[in-house]
Amino acid sequence: MYLNSAAYRTFSDFTQYPVFPWVIKDYTSDILDLNDSNTFRDLTKPIGAINPARLNSLKARFKEMPEPKFLYGTHYSTPGYVIGFLLRS
């Protein structure tokens, strides 16, 4: 939460809702071993590059699109995602 506060994110504005990085990759274990490196995703790669097939599809789409080119088409924290999450919670 400190990182979100330092970035001036607030709970009052849906477009600045706090962001928590996706660091866990083990969603099947009953107990997480936080000392095991296999519990965490590879943080040297962006989330879209973890799955080689997804990365290849993003690169192919990137080559075919007109300017301005981009790999990821959505922002990680849009109001619609936040409201949907809050409704499910």
Side-chain angles (χ1 to χ4, degrees), residues 6-78:
Y8 298 105
R9 293 188 173 278
T10 174
F11 289 102
S12 304
D13 183 351
F14 284 146
T15 62
Q16 296 182 6
Y17 201 77
V19 174
F20 298 96
W22 181 12
V23 296
I24 303 292
K25 75 174 185 180
D26 178 7
Y27 292 99
T28 57
S29 299
D30 292 332
I31 298 172
L32 287 178
D33 181 2
L34 299 180
N35 294 316
D36 182 7
S37 63
N38 291 321
T39 300
F40 305 99
R41 78 171 182 89
D42 182 0
L43 295 175
T44 64
K45 299 176 183 175
I47 200 69
I50 291 175
N51 180 332
R54 173 146 170 80
L55 179 59
N56 289 335
S57 70
L58 288 170
K59 285 181 177 179
R61 186 186 72 171
F62 180 83
K63 286 180 185 177
E64 296 173 2
M65 71 174 52
E67 294 292 334
K69 295 184 175 200
F70 54 88
L71 281 178
Y72 307 106
T74 60
H75 193 264
Y76 55 82
S77 182
T78 62

